C-alpha cells in the first residue's frame, strides 16, 4: 500500500507521513529498502512519549456521538452536559475498545515491539521524542517544528 501511494499519489511526491508504521524491525528494514529503491528516505521518526497510565486515562476519556461521529473528550473538549452531544442533545458513547483491559493488552505488545524500534531509529539519528503528556496544542506545535526543520535532530 505504501509503495503504491508513493508511486501513484502525486500528494506524496514531496513529502508523506506514516502513522503507526512500521511496527517491527523487519518492517522498518523493508521500508528502508523500499524507500531506497525509489531514491527516498525517512527524514524523521517521531515518538509521542507518554506514561501508560496517562495514555489510558486520555483514551478512556474519548466520547463519540454515534450519529455524526463528532467527538468530545472529558478533559480537553468536554460536552456542555455530561455524556450528551452538544449539537443534538443525544447520548454520547465510548468505543468498546476504549477500556483499561483492552488498552493494557495493546500496551504490552506496543512496548515489546517499540523498544527495539526506538533504538533502531535512534541509531540512524532519525528518532525525535515529543512529550505527549503535555496539552494537545503543545504536542501539535512540537510536531510542526519537526516537520519544518526537516531531517531529525537528535533529542
Amino acid at each position: 500500500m505504501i509503495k503504491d501511494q508513493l508511486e501513484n499519489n502525486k500528494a506524496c511526491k514531496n513529502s508523506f507521513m506514516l502513522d503507526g508504521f512500521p511496527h517491527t524491525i523487519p518492517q522498518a528494514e523493508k521500508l528502508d529498502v523500499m524507500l531506497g529503491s525509489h531514491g527516498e528516505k525517512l527524514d524523521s521518526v517521531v515518538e509521542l512519549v507518554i506514561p501508560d497510565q496517562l495514555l489510558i486515562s486520555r483514551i478512556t476519556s474519548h466520547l463519540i456521538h454515534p450519529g455524526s461521529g463528532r467527538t468530545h473528550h472529558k478533559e480537553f473538549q468536554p460536552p456542555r452536559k455530561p455524556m450528551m452531544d452538544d449539537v443534538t442533545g443525544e447520548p454520547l458513547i465510548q468505543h468498546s475498545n476504549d477500556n483499561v483491559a483492552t488498552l493494557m493488552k495493546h500496551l504490552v505488545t506496543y512496548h515489546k515491539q517499540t523498544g527495539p524500534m526506538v533504538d533502531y531509529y535512534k541509531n540512524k539519528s532519525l528518532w525525535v521524542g515529543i512529550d505527549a503528556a503535555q496539552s494537545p496544542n503543545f504536542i501539535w506545535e512540537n510536531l510542526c517544528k519537526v516537520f519544518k526543520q526537516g531531517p531529525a535532530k537528535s533529542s
Side-chain angles (χ1 to χ4, degrees):
M1 184 163 98
I2 294 169
K3 182 179 177 186
D4 178 64
Q5 288 297 308
L6 289 176
E7 291 174 351
N8 300 311
N9 186 338
K10 290 180 183 179
C12 294
K13 181 173 174 56
N14 296 321
S15 65
F16 59 91
M17 182 172 62
L18 303 174
D19 180 9
F21 181 84
H23 295 284
T24 65
I25 299 291
Q27 287 177 345
E29 292 169 342
K30 287 180 182 178
L31 177 63
D32 290 344
V33 169
M34 190 266 308
L35 291 174
S37 72
H38 286 84
E40 301 285 343
K41 64 181 180 53
L42 296 177
D43 291 328
S44 301
V45 174
V46 176
E47 179 186 15
L48 300 178
V49 181
I50 186 168
D52 288 356
Q53 284 310 115
L54 181 55
L55 179 64
I56 289 168
S57 172
R58 286 187 177 176
I59 290 174
T60 57
S61 294
H62 287 166
L63 301 171
I64 300 146
H65 178 251
S68 67
R70 254 186 313 281
T71 61
H72 292 275
H73 189 274
K74 292 176 185 176
E75 180 182 353
F76 297 115
Q77 189 182 6
R80 288 189 287 271
K81 289 184 182 177
M83 296 304 294
M84 303 302 275
D85 181 58
D86 289 346
V87 175
T88 64
E90 296 170 342
L92 298 170
I93 63 164
Q94 287 185 281
H95 279 296
S96 60
N97 286 347
D98 290 350
N99 65 72
V100 175
T102 301
L103 293 170
M104 291 299 289
K105 288 178 190 172
H106 288 298
L107 284 168
V108 167
T109 302
Y110 174 80
H111 289 301
K112 190 175 179 181
Q113 294 176 346
T114 301
M117 292 292 294
V118 168
D119 292 339
Y120 179 82
Y121 285 117
K122 279 183 178 180
N123 289 334
K124 292 177 165 280
S125 299
L126 293 173
W127 181 86
V128 178
I130 294 179
D131 181 2
Q134 304 300 316
S135 71
N137 285 339
F138 174 91
I139 297 166
W140 179 247
E141 288 169 11
N142 281 276
L143 279 170
C144 289
K145 287 178 190 174
V146 171
F147 298 146
K148 288 177 187 170
Q149 76 185 19
K153 309 280 190 264
S154 205
S155 20

